[in-house]
Amino acid sequence: MASYDVIVIGSGPGGYVAAIRCAQLGLKTACVEGRDTLGGTCLNVGCIPSKAMLHATHMLHEAEHNFAAMGLTGDTPKVDWAKMLSYKQDTIDTNTKGIEFLFKKNKIDWLKGWGSIPEAGKVKVGDDLHEAKNIIVATGSQSSSLPGIEIDEKTVVTSTGALELGKIPKKMVVIGAGVIGLELGSVYSRLGAEVQVIEFLDTITPGMDGEVQKTFQKLLTKQGLKFTLGAAVQAVTTSDGKATVTYKLRKDDSEHTVEADTVLVATGRKPYVDGLGLEALGVEMTDRGQIKTNGHWATNVKGIYAIGDAITGPMLAHKAEDEGMATAEVIAGKAGHVNYGVIPGVIYTHPEVASVGKTEEELKTAGHAYKVGKFSFMGNGRAKANFAADGFVKIIADKETDRILGAHIIGPMAGDLIHELCVAMEFGAAAQDVALTCHAHPTYSEAVREAALACGDGAIHM
Ligand code: NAI
């Protein structure tokens, strides 16, 4: 029986980051992982492979639509599907091996197998029992399907199956216009599939800034995605490798069916805590099946902590990472901290969509007086040169103090641009602070500054 200061269960972005920080802080650390490779959903079947597919298909889109206008002529590239999938796999492999290297470097033991907690202070992996003064549950989440829909990961798939389809479907139905549905819907649309997205609500990407939602839907429609909103999917049946999706339009209760080669079910994810033994231990859960934690990521059972998708809050890799680092610090007797008010969210379509902080809708509901500064990428020279002038930057600031309350960007590199505003918000900056900061020309970042200027006396290039 080995004995550790900390055993982390799960090696996704929350778990492996927690393990590394624990080791850096001098704690004897092990991490339990049952997959063949480290990195969890994000590296193996989520964030990383989907970004590889988004990158490859964006390059194809550029070649098909913009190369000729730049004087780049010749045959448009053809898709070699097997090669594209092996590029995706190589991307996964270099990243998962990277984590293995970091574990070795930090002397973290990888306990291979699926872990459970038979009692506080003990972790069982296979037939081995290990002692741990502290346990961090970082087991992530799994796709949550709809009642009556059977996932076979071939014709009816979750994001996992969608990343390794045998061939590119002619027709794909995506259930759910959230992050996964729109990212993977974009991939297959760019590869030539006819993509129909069926969404229960009347808008895409629920919870996002309303103006961004509208622009985003318009741009995706222009790219060829078809949206059926306000529609509740009732059933999906399969026969001979084809699927039939039945849905009801909420406005008139009319029933419709649509056939597809592939159906992607992207209706959300739920915490993955099966088999850990939490119930027997008396670990308190929320009514949504998340592990309940206090402000220091501790559960109600002494010595057991939980982070990431398994607890409350947005299901985002970077939120899990931050919680992982903070929990390690708490265990080491330091002050771990996560600012939940400044966690960016990014959708890696083209254009990208990124947001942080409050939306206008949230501020209106709260009765908070605010002002808005907006700048279109049409006024940004670099974006125009790069055929990337669709979209805008929107900064929302307190009406009286000018303090930045939220930012929403749809446009080129939005997922990177948002961080300037995250840093500004962490420092409690006013929009004017960003407006007075010199921004290099010509960059996309100038659009951020212009939006900040628009919160005050006005943008220059608009
Ligand atoms: P989501 O919660 O983002 O979207 C699910 C959508 O499905 C919602 O719009 C919902 O209204 C709709 N829906 C639910 N039931 C339905 C029904 N019966 N018929 C039609 N529509 C229905 O969930 P998604 O896209 O599956 O993603 C899961 C999690 O993974 C999210 O928390 C997301 O933030 C995270 N994720 C983040 C990524 C990123 O940061 N780029 C990438 C991929 C996933």
Side-chain angles (χ1 to χ4, degrees):
M1 181 191 291
S3 183
Y4 295 94
D5 293 318
V6 184
I7 295 184
V8 183
I9 306 181
S11 72
Y16 85 72
V17 167
I20 292 172
R21 181 57 102 226
C22 284
Q24 286 174 337
L25 293 171
L27 301 165
K28 189 173 181 227
T29 307
C31 182
V32 186
E33 176 56 62
R35 272 182 208 272
D36 293 340
T37 47
L38 299 171
T41 299
C42 175
L43 272 71
N44 288 284
V45 288
C47 325
I48 296 297
S50 63
K51 259 78 272 174
M53 300 300 277
L54 279 157
H55 177 66
T57 56
H58 176 56
M59 293 291 111
L60 176 66
H61 183 271
E62 289 294 282
E64 286 172 344
H65 294 87
N66 296 325
F67 274 19
M70 291 186 281
L72 301 170
T73 55
D75 291 344
T76 304
K78 303 255 174 313
V79 178
D80 178 339
W81 185 232
K83 178 75 192 156
M84 196 179 281
L85 291 181
S86 83
Y87 148 70
K88 178 209 69 177
Q89 192 56 47
D90 289 347
T91 311
I92 295 170
D93 293 346
T94 46
N95 279 280
T96 55
K97 283 196 189 110
I99 309 295
E100 219 174 314
F101 163 78
L102 289 173
F103 271 20
K104 282 191 189 125
K105 183 180 158 204
N106 286 285
K107 304 193 171 37
I108 297 163
D109 289 344
W110 173 4
L111 306 176
K112 294 187 185 180
W114 301 101
S116 60
I117 312 173
E119 59 183 283
K122 300 233 168 24
V123 173
K124 193 165 182 250
V125 184
D127 294 330
D128 300 331
L129 198 61
H130 304 274
E131 271 182 355
K133 291 194 192 99
N134 302 280
I135 298 166
I136 303 176
V137 179
T139 47
S141 59
Q142 58 185 336
S143 301
S144 64
S145 183
L146 297 168
I149 296 184
E150 209 171 301
I151 308 280
D152 60 18
E153 295 295 11
K154 287 198 162 57
T155 309
V156 185
V157 298
T158 65
S159 50
T160 303
L163 287 165
E164 49 188 24
L165 293 179
K167 60 177 197 262
I168 299 164
K170 282 205 174 68
K171 165 94 187 187
M172 176 182 243
V173 165
V174 175
I175 308 176
V179 191
I180 292 182
L182 299 183
E183 286 188 354
L184 291 173
S186 287
V187 164
Y188 285 99
S189 167
R190 292 172 195 164
L191 288 168
E194 186 197 330
V195 176
Q196 178 176 356
V197 184
I198 304 179
E199 164 60 47
F200 182 79
L201 298 172
D202 296 324
T203 55
I204 66 168
T205 56
M208 190 175 276
D209 178 90
E211 268 184 289
V212 172
Q213 283 176 332
K214 280 195 202 103
T215 305
F216 192 26
Q217 189 183 333
K218 221 175 357 185
L219 292 174
L220 290 175
T221 304
K222 213 166 90 187
Q223 289 170 22
L225 277 82
K226 195 176 152 204
F227 290 96
T228 307
L229 303 181
V233 170
Q234 310 287 303
V236 179
T237 53
T238 53
S239 150
D240 287 340
K242 292 249 179 214
T244 306
V245 181
T246 308
Y247 63 90
K248 240 184 196 175
L249 285 181
R250 294 198 295 137
K251 61 175 185 214
D252 57 11
D253 255 1
S254 58
E255 201 168 274
H256 304 258
T257 56
V258 53
E259 295 225 325
D261 303 299
T262 305
V263 176
L264 166 61
V265 182
T267 49
R269 297 179 62 85
K270 58 181 182 199
Y272 180 54
V273 291
D274 306 352
L276 287 172
L278 298 182
E279 207 180 338
L281 282 165
V283 173
E284 277 175 16
M285 310 290 285
T286 70
D287 50 14
R288 297 180 61 198
Q290 301 145 320
I291 301 171
K292 255 193 207 173
T293 54
N294 66 13
H296 289 116
W297 303 279
T299 68
N300 61 313
V301 177
K302 200 170 175 322
I304 302 182
Y305 297 80
I307 58 169
D309 285 10
I311 69 168
T312 55
M315 288 183 160
L316 297 170
H318 42 282
K319 174 257 194 191
E321 288 181 40
D322 283 20
E323 288 174 343
M325 281 194 277
T327 306
E329 276 153 25
V330 167
I331 291 172
K334 294 172 175 274
H337 175 71
V338 174
N339 180 0
Y340 287 100
V342 185
I343 294 185
V346 180
I347 308 180
Y348 298 87
T349 44
H350 194 82
E352 289 184 350
V353 178
S355 69
V356 64
K358 301 286 184 204
T359 61
E360 264 196 84
E361 291 76 12
E362 283 172 326
L363 292 169
K364 261 185 210 142
T365 307
H368 193 132
Y370 64 88
K371 56 185 174 175
V372 172
K374 242 177 91 177
F375 188 78
S376 163
F377 280 100
M378 289 301 277
N380 180 276
R382 183 73 178 277
K384 276 193 288 200
N386 294 0
F387 300 102
D390 284 329
F392 56 84
V393 179
K394 174 174 176 177
I395 295 176
I396 307 174
D398 185 280
K399 194 163 182 167
E400 292 302 315
T401 65
D402 196 36
R403 186 180 173 137
I404 301 172
L405 302 171
H408 308 278
I409 307 177
I410 175 163
M413 305 293 286
D416 287 270
L417 296 180
I418 198 74
H419 294 97
E420 171 178 0
L421 295 162
C422 295
V423 173
M425 285 175 72
E426 279 289 352
F427 280 80
Q432 196 185 26
D433 292 316
V434 176
L436 290 174
T437 304
C438 185
H439 284 61
H441 176 74
T443 59
Y444 297 138
S445 298
E446 288 173 289
V448 175
R449 185 204 200 171
E450 292 270 19
L453 281 164
C455 285
D457 295 332
I460 299 295
H461 296 91
M462 207 159 60

CSV table of all heavy atoms in Angstrom, one decimal, residues 46-47 50-51 141 143 146 174-183 198-201 203-206 231-234 265-269 309 314-318 344-348, ligand 1:
chain,number,residue,atom,x,y,z
A,46,GLY,N,-12.0,15.8,-26.9
A,46,GLY,CA,-12.8,17.1,-26.7
A,46,GLY,C,-12.1,18.2,-27.3
A,46,GLY,O,-11.9,18.3,-28.5
A,47,CYS,N,-11.7,19.2,-26.5
A,47,CYS,CA,-11.1,20.4,-26.9
A,47,CYS,C,-10.0,20.3,-28.0
A,47,CYS,O,-10.1,20.9,-29.0
A,47,CYS,CB,-10.5,21.2,-25.7
A,47,CYS,SG,-11.3,21.0,-24.1
A,50,SER,N,-11.1,18.5,-31.4
A,50,SER,CA,-12.0,19.3,-32.2
A,50,SER,C,-11.3,20.6,-32.7
A,50,SER,O,-11.7,21.0,-33.8
A,50,SER,CB,-13.2,19.7,-31.3
A,50,SER,OG,-12.8,20.5,-30.2
A,51,LYS,N,-10.3,21.1,-32.0
A,51,LYS,CA,-9.6,22.3,-32.6
A,51,LYS,C,-8.8,21.9,-33.8
A,51,LYS,O,-8.6,22.7,-34.7
A,51,LYS,CB,-8.8,22.9,-31.5
A,51,LYS,CG,-9.4,24.2,-30.9
A,51,LYS,CD,-10.5,23.9,-29.8
A,51,LYS,CE,-11.9,23.8,-30.3
A,51,LYS,NZ,-12.8,23.4,-29.2
A,141,SER,N,-17.0,15.1,-16.8
A,141,SER,CA,-18.4,15.0,-17.2
A,141,SER,C,-18.5,14.0,-18.4
A,141,SER,O,-17.5,13.6,-19.0
A,141,SER,CB,-18.9,16.3,-17.6
A,141,SER,OG,-18.2,16.9,-18.6
A,143,SER,N,-21.4,13.1,-21.8
A,143,SER,CA,-22.5,13.6,-22.6
A,143,SER,C,-23.8,13.2,-22.0
A,143,SER,O,-23.9,12.0,-21.5
A,143,SER,CB,-22.5,13.1,-24.0
A,143,SER,OG,-21.3,13.5,-24.6
A,146,LEU,N,-30.8,12.5,-24.6
A,146,LEU,CA,-32.2,12.7,-24.3
A,146,LEU,C,-32.9,11.4,-24.1
A,146,LEU,O,-32.5,10.4,-24.6
A,146,LEU,CB,-32.8,13.5,-25.5
A,146,LEU,CG,-32.3,14.8,-25.8
A,146,LEU,CD1,-32.8,15.3,-27.1
A,146,LEU,CD2,-32.6,15.8,-24.7
A,174,VAL,N,-27.8,18.0,-36.1
A,174,VAL,CA,-27.2,18.3,-34.8
A,174,VAL,C,-28.3,18.7,-33.9
A,174,VAL,O,-29.1,19.6,-34.2
A,174,VAL,CB,-26.2,19.5,-34.9
A,174,VAL,CG1,-25.7,19.9,-33.6
A,174,VAL,CG2,-25.1,19.2,-35.9
A,175,ILE,N,-28.4,18.0,-32.8
A,175,ILE,CA,-29.4,18.3,-31.8
A,175,ILE,C,-28.8,19.2,-30.7
A,175,ILE,O,-27.9,18.7,-30.0
A,175,ILE,CB,-30.1,17.1,-31.1
A,175,ILE,CG1,-30.6,16.1,-32.2
A,175,ILE,CG2,-31.2,17.4,-30.2
A,175,ILE,CD1,-31.1,14.8,-31.7
A,176,GLY,N,-29.2,20.4,-30.6
A,176,GLY,CA,-28.6,21.4,-29.6
A,176,GLY,C,-27.7,22.4,-30.3
A,176,GLY,O,-26.7,22.0,-30.9
A,177,ALA,N,-28.1,23.7,-30.2
A,177,ALA,CA,-27.2,24.7,-30.8
A,177,ALA,C,-26.4,25.4,-29.7
A,177,ALA,O,-26.3,26.6,-29.5
A,177,ALA,CB,-28.1,25.8,-31.4
A,178,GLY,N,-25.7,24.5,-28.9
A,178,GLY,CA,-24.7,25.0,-27.9
A,178,GLY,C,-23.3,24.9,-28.5
A,178,GLY,O,-23.2,24.8,-29.8
A,179,VAL,N,-22.3,24.9,-27.7
A,179,VAL,CA,-20.9,25.0,-28.1
A,179,VAL,C,-20.5,23.8,-29.0
A,179,VAL,O,-20.0,24.0,-30.1
A,179,VAL,CB,-20.0,25.1,-26.9
A,179,VAL,CG1,-18.6,25.5,-27.3
A,179,VAL,CG2,-20.5,26.1,-25.9
A,180,ILE,N,-20.8,22.6,-28.5
A,180,ILE,CA,-20.4,21.4,-29.2
A,180,ILE,C,-21.1,21.3,-30.6
A,180,ILE,O,-20.5,21.1,-31.6
A,180,ILE,CB,-20.7,20.1,-28.4
A,180,ILE,CG1,-19.8,20.1,-27.1
A,180,ILE,CG2,-20.5,18.9,-29.2
A,180,ILE,CD1,-19.9,18.9,-26.2
A,181,GLY,N,-22.4,21.6,-30.5
A,181,GLY,CA,-23.2,21.5,-31.8
A,181,GLY,C,-22.7,22.4,-32.9
A,181,GLY,O,-22.6,22.0,-34.0
A,182,LEU,N,-22.4,23.6,-32.5
A,182,LEU,CA,-22.0,24.6,-33.5
A,182,LEU,C,-20.5,24.4,-33.9
A,182,LEU,O,-20.2,24.6,-35.1
A,182,LEU,CB,-22.2,26.0,-32.9
A,182,LEU,CG,-23.7,26.3,-32.6
A,182,LEU,CD1,-23.8,27.8,-32.2
A,182,LEU,CD2,-24.6,26.1,-33.8
A,183,GLU,N,-19.6,24.0,-33.0
A,183,GLU,CA,-18.2,23.7,-33.4
A,183,GLU,C,-18.2,22.6,-34.4
A,183,GLU,O,-17.6,22.6,-35.5
A,183,GLU,CB,-17.4,23.5,-32.2
A,183,GLU,CG,-17.0,24.7,-31.4
A,183,GLU,CD,-16.0,24.6,-30.3
A,183,GLU,OE1,-15.6,23.4,-30.0
A,183,GLU,OE2,-15.6,25.6,-29.7
A,198,ILE,N,-31.0,21.5,-34.8
A,198,ILE,CA,-32.4,21.6,-34.2
A,198,ILE,C,-32.2,22.0,-32.7
A,198,ILE,O,-31.5,21.3,-32.0
A,198,ILE,CB,-33.1,20.2,-34.3
A,198,ILE,CG1,-33.2,19.8,-35.8
A,198,ILE,CG2,-34.5,20.3,-33.7
A,198,ILE,CD1,-33.9,18.5,-36.0
A,199,GLU,N,-32.8,23.1,-32.3
A,199,GLU,CA,-32.6,23.7,-31.0
A,199,GLU,C,-33.9,23.9,-30.3
A,199,GLU,O,-34.8,24.4,-30.9
A,199,GLU,CB,-31.8,25.0,-31.1
A,199,GLU,CG,-31.8,25.9,-29.9
A,199,GLU,CD,-31.2,25.2,-28.6
A,199,GLU,OE1,-30.1,24.6,-28.7
A,199,GLU,OE2,-31.8,25.4,-27.6
A,200,PHE,N,-34.0,23.5,-29.1
A,200,PHE,CA,-35.2,23.6,-28.3
A,200,PHE,C,-35.6,25.1,-28.1
A,200,PHE,O,-36.8,25.5,-28.2
A,200,PHE,CB,-35.0,23.0,-26.9
A,200,PHE,CG,-36.2,23.0,-26.0
A,200,PHE,CD1,-37.2,22.1,-26.2
A,200,PHE,CD2,-36.3,23.9,-25.0
A,200,PHE,CE1,-38.3,22.1,-25.4
A,200,PHE,CE2,-37.4,23.9,-24.2
A,200,PHE,CZ,-38.4,23.0,-24.4
A,201,LEU,N,-34.6,25.9,-27.8
A,201,LEU,CA,-34.9,27.4,-27.5
A,201,LEU,C,-35.1,28.1,-28.8
A,201,LEU,O,-34.9,27.6,-29.9
A,201,LEU,CB,-33.8,28.0,-26.6
A,201,LEU,CG,-33.6,27.3,-25.2
A,201,LEU,CD1,-32.4,27.8,-24.6
A,201,LEU,CD2,-34.9,27.5,-24.4
A,203,THR,N,-33.3,30.8,-29.5
A,203,THR,CA,-32.0,31.4,-29.9
A,203,THR,C,-31.0,30.3,-29.9
A,203,THR,O,-31.1,29.3,-29.2
A,203,THR,CB,-31.6,32.5,-29.0
A,203,THR,OG1,-31.6,32.0,-27.6
A,203,THR,CG2,-32.5,33.7,-29.0
A,204,ILE,N,-29.9,30.6,-30.6
A,204,ILE,CA,-28.7,29.6,-30.4
A,204,ILE,C,-27.9,30.1,-29.2
A,204,ILE,O,-28.1,31.2,-28.7
A,204,ILE,CB,-27.9,29.6,-31.7
A,204,ILE,CG1,-27.2,31.0,-32.0
A,204,ILE,CG2,-28.7,29.2,-32.9
A,204,ILE,CD1,-26.1,30.9,-33.1
A,205,THR,N,-27.0,29.3,-28.8
A,205,THR,CA,-26.1,29.5,-27.7
A,205,THR,C,-26.7,30.3,-26.5
A,205,THR,O,-26.5,31.4,-26.3
A,205,THR,CB,-24.8,30.4,-28.1
A,205,THR,OG1,-25.3,31.5,-28.8
A,205,THR,CG2,-24.0,29.6,-29.1
A,206,PRO,N,-27.6,29.5,-25.8
A,206,PRO,CA,-28.3,30.2,-24.7
A,206,PRO,C,-27.4,30.8,-23.7
A,206,PRO,O,-26.3,30.3,-23.4
A,206,PRO,CB,-29.1,29.0,-24.0
A,206,PRO,CG,-28.5,27.8,-24.6
A,206,PRO,CD,-27.9,28.1,-25.9
A,231,ALA,N,-37.7,24.0,-31.3
A,231,ALA,CA,-38.1,22.6,-31.7
A,231,ALA,C,-37.6,21.6,-30.7
A,231,ALA,O,-36.4,21.6,-30.4
A,231,ALA,CB,-37.5,22.3,-33.1
A,232,ALA,N,-38.5,20.8,-30.2
A,232,ALA,CA,-38.1,19.8,-29.2
A,232,ALA,C,-38.0,18.4,-29.9
A,232,ALA,O,-38.9,18.0,-30.5
A,232,ALA,CB,-39.1,19.7,-28.1
A,233,VAL,N,-36.8,17.9,-29.8
A,233,VAL,CA,-36.6,16.6,-30.4
A,233,VAL,C,-37.3,15.5,-29.6
A,233,VAL,O,-37.1,15.5,-28.4
A,233,VAL,CB,-35.1,16.2,-30.6
A,233,VAL,CG1,-34.9,14.8,-31.0
A,233,VAL,CG2,-34.5,17.2,-31.6
A,234,GLN,N,-38.1,14.7,-30.3
A,234,GLN,CA,-38.9,13.7,-29.6
A,234,GLN,C,-38.2,12.3,-29.6
A,234,GLN,O,-38.3,11.6,-28.6
A,234,GLN,CB,-40.3,13.5,-30.2
A,234,GLN,CG,-41.0,14.8,-30.5
A,234,GLN,CD,-41.5,15.4,-29.2
A,234,GLN,OE1,-42.3,14.7,-28.5
A,234,GLN,NE2,-41.1,16.6,-28.8
A,265,VAL,N,-25.8,14.3,-31.0
A,265,VAL,CA,-26.5,14.7,-29.9
A,265,VAL,C,-25.6,15.6,-29.0
A,265,VAL,O,-24.6,15.1,-28.5
A,265,VAL,CB,-27.0,13.5,-29.1
A,265,VAL,CG1,-27.9,14.0,-27.9
A,265,VAL,CG2,-27.8,12.5,-30.0
A,266,ALA,N,-26.0,16.9,-29.0
A,266,ALA,CA,-25.1,17.9,-28.3
A,266,ALA,C,-26.0,18.7,-27.4
A,266,ALA,O,-26.2,19.9,-27.5
A,266,ALA,CB,-24.4,18.7,-29.3
A,267,THR,N,-26.7,18.0,-26.4
A,267,THR,CA,-27.7,18.7,-25.6
A,267,THR,C,-27.1,18.8,-24.1
A,267,THR,O,-27.9,18.9,-23.2
A,267,THR,CB,-29.0,17.8,-25.5
A,267,THR,OG1,-28.6,16.5,-25.2
A,267,THR,CG2,-29.7,17.9,-26.9
A,268,GLY,N,-25.8,18.9,-24.0
A,268,GLY,CA,-25.3,19.2,-22.7
A,268,GLY,C,-24.5,18.0,-22.1
A,268,GLY,O,-24.5,16.9,-22.7
A,269,ARG,N,-23.8,18.2,-21.0
A,269,ARG,CA,-23.1,17.2,-20.4
A,269,ARG,C,-23.4,17.1,-18.9
A,269,ARG,O,-24.0,18.1,-18.3
A,269,ARG,CB,-21.6,17.5,-20.5
A,269,ARG,CG,-21.1,17.5,-22.0
A,269,ARG,CD,-19.6,17.8,-22.1
A,269,ARG,NE,-18.7,16.8,-21.4
A,269,ARG,CZ,-18.3,15.7,-22.0
A,269,ARG,NH1,-18.7,15.3,-23.2
A,269,ARG,NH2,-17.6,14.8,-21.3
A,309,ASP,N,-15.8,19.9,-13.9
A,309,ASP,CA,-17.1,19.6,-14.4
A,309,ASP,C,-18.0,18.8,-13.4
A,309,ASP,O,-19.2,18.8,-13.5
A,309,ASP,CB,-17.1,18.7,-15.7
A,309,ASP,CG,-16.7,19.6,-16.9
A,309,ASP,OD1,-16.3,20.7,-16.7
A,309,ASP,OD2,-16.8,19.0,-18.1
A,314,PRO,N,-19.5,26.7,-14.8
A,314,PRO,CA,-19.4,26.4,-16.2
A,314,PRO,C,-18.5,25.2,-16.4
A,314,PRO,O,-17.5,25.0,-15.8
A,314,PRO,CB,-18.8,27.7,-16.8
A,314,PRO,CG,-18.2,28.4,-15.7
A,314,PRO,CD,-19.0,28.0,-14.5
A,315,MET,N,-18.9,24.3,-17.4
A,315,MET,CA,-18.1,23.1,-17.7
A,315,MET,C,-17.1,23.5,-18.7
A,315,MET,O,-17.2,23.3,-19.9
A,315,MET,CB,-19.0,22.0,-18.3
A,315,MET,CG,-19.9,21.4,-17.2
A,315,MET,SD,-20.9,20.1,-17.9
A,315,MET,CE,-21.3,19.2,-16.4
A,316,LEU,N,-16.0,24.1,-18.2
A,316,LEU,CA,-14.9,24.6,-19.1
A,316,LEU,C,-13.6,24.1,-18.5
A,316,LEU,O,-13.3,24.1,-17.3
A,316,LEU,CB,-14.9,26.1,-19.1
A,316,LEU,CG,-16.2,26.8,-19.7
A,316,LEU,CD1,-16.2,28.3,-19.5
A,316,LEU,CD2,-16.3,26.5,-21.2
A,317,ALA,N,-12.7,23.7,-19.5
A,317,ALA,CA,-11.4,23.2,-19.1
A,317,ALA,C,-10.6,24.2,-18.2
A,317,ALA,O,-10.0,23.8,-17.2
A,317,ALA,CB,-10.6,22.8,-20.3
A,318,HIS,N,-10.7,25.4,-18.6
A,318,HIS,CA,-9.8,26.4,-17.9
A,318,HIS,C,-10.4,26.7,-16.5
A,318,HIS,O,-9.6,27.1,-15.6
A,318,HIS,CB,-9.6,27.7,-18.7
A,318,HIS,CG,-10.8,28.2,-19.5
A,318,HIS,ND1,-11.3,27.6,-20.6
A,318,HIS,CD2,-11.7,29.2,-19.2
A,318,HIS,CE1,-12.4,28.2,-21.0
A,318,HIS,NE2,-12.7,29.2,-20.2
A,344,PRO,N,-13.5,33.5,-19.0
A,344,PRO,CA,-13.9,33.7,-20.4
A,344,PRO,C,-14.6,32.4,-21.0
A,344,PRO,O,-14.2,31.3,-20.6
A,344,PRO,CB,-12.6,34.0,-21.2
A,344,PRO,CG,-11.5,33.4,-20.3
A,344,PRO,CD,-12.0,33.4,-18.9
A,345,GLY,N,-15.5,32.6,-21.9
A,345,GLY,CA,-16.0,31.4,-22.7
A,345,GLY,C,-15.8,31.7,-24.1
A,345,GLY,O,-15.9,32.8,-24.6
A,346,VAL,N,-15.3,30.6,-24.8
A,346,VAL,CA,-15.0,30.8,-26.3
A,346,VAL,C,-15.6,29.7,-27.1
A,346,VAL,O,-15.6,28.5,-26.7
A,346,VAL,CB,-13.4,30.7,-26.4
A,346,VAL,CG1,-13.1,30.9,-27.9
A,346,VAL,CG2,-12.7,31.8,-25.6
A,347,ILE,N,-16.1,30.1,-28.3
A,347,ILE,CA,-16.6,29.1,-29.2
A,347,ILE,C,-15.7,29.2,-30.4
A,347,ILE,O,-15.5,30.3,-31.0
A,347,ILE,CB,-18.1,29.3,-29.7
A,347,ILE,CG1,-18.9,29.4,-28.4
A,347,ILE,CG2,-18.5,28.2,-30.6
A,347,ILE,CD1,-20.4,29.7,-28.7
A,348,TYR,N,-15.0,28.1,-30.8
A,348,TYR,CA,-13.9,28.1,-31.8
A,348,TYR,C,-14.4,27.9,-33.2
A,348,TYR,O,-13.8,27.2,-34.0
A,348,TYR,CB,-12.9,27.1,-31.4
A,348,TYR,CG,-12.2,27.5,-30.1
A,348,TYR,CD1,-12.8,27.0,-28.9
A,348,TYR,CD2,-11.1,28.3,-30.0
A,348,TYR,CE1,-12.3,27.3,-27.6
A,348,TYR,CE2,-10.6,28.7,-28.7
A,348,TYR,CZ,-11.2,28.2,-27.6
A,348,TYR,OH,-10.7,28.5,-26.3
B,1,NAI,P1,-24.7,23.3,-24.2
B,1,NAI,O1,-25.3,23.3,-22.9
B,1,NAI,O2,-23.7,24.3,-24.6
B,1,NAI,O3,-25.9,23.3,-25.3
B,1,NAI,C1,-26.9,22.3,-25.4
B,1,NAI,C2,-28.1,22.9,-26.2
B,1,NAI,O4,-29.0,21.8,-26.4
B,1,NAI,C3,-28.8,24.0,-25.6
B,1,NAI,O5,-28.9,25.1,-26.5
B,1,NAI,C4,-30.2,23.4,-25.3
B,1,NAI,O6,-31.2,24.3,-25.3
B,1,NAI,C5,-30.3,22.3,-26.4
B,1,NAI,N1,-31.2,21.2,-26.1
B,1,NAI,C6,-31.4,20.6,-25.0
B,1,NAI,N2,-32.4,19.6,-25.1
B,1,NAI,C7,-32.9,19.7,-26.4
B,1,NAI,C8,-33.9,19.0,-27.2
B,1,NAI,N3,-34.6,18.1,-26.7
B,1,NAI,N4,-34.0,19.4,-28.5
B,1,NAI,C9,-33.3,20.3,-29.0
B,1,NAI,N5,-32.3,21.0,-28.3
B,1,NAI,C10,-32.1,20.7,-27.1
B,1,NAI,O7,-24.2,21.8,-24.3
B,1,NAI,P2,-23.1,21.2,-25.3
B,1,NAI,O8,-22.9,21.9,-26.6
B,1,NAI,O9,-23.5,19.7,-25.4
B,1,NAI,O10,-21.7,21.3,-24.5
B,1,NAI,C11,-21.6,20.6,-23.2
B,1,NAI,C12,-20.6,21.4,-22.4
B,1,NAI,O11,-19.3,21.3,-22.9
B,1,NAI,C13,-21.0,22.8,-22.2
B,1,NAI,O12,-21.0,23.2,-20.9
B,1,NAI,C14,-19.9,23.5,-23.0
B,1,NAI,O13,-19.6,24.8,-22.4
B,1,NAI,C15,-18.7,22.6,-22.9
B,1,NAI,N6,-17.9,22.7,-24.1
B,1,NAI,C16,-17.1,23.9,-24.2
B,1,NAI,C17,-16.4,24.1,-25.4
B,1,NAI,C18,-15.6,25.3,-25.5
B,1,NAI,O14,-15.3,26.0,-24.5
B,1,NAI,N7,-15.2,25.7,-26.7
B,1,NAI,C19,-16.4,23.1,-26.4
B,1,NAI,C20,-17.2,22.0,-26.2
B,1,NAI,C21,-17.9,21.8,-25.1
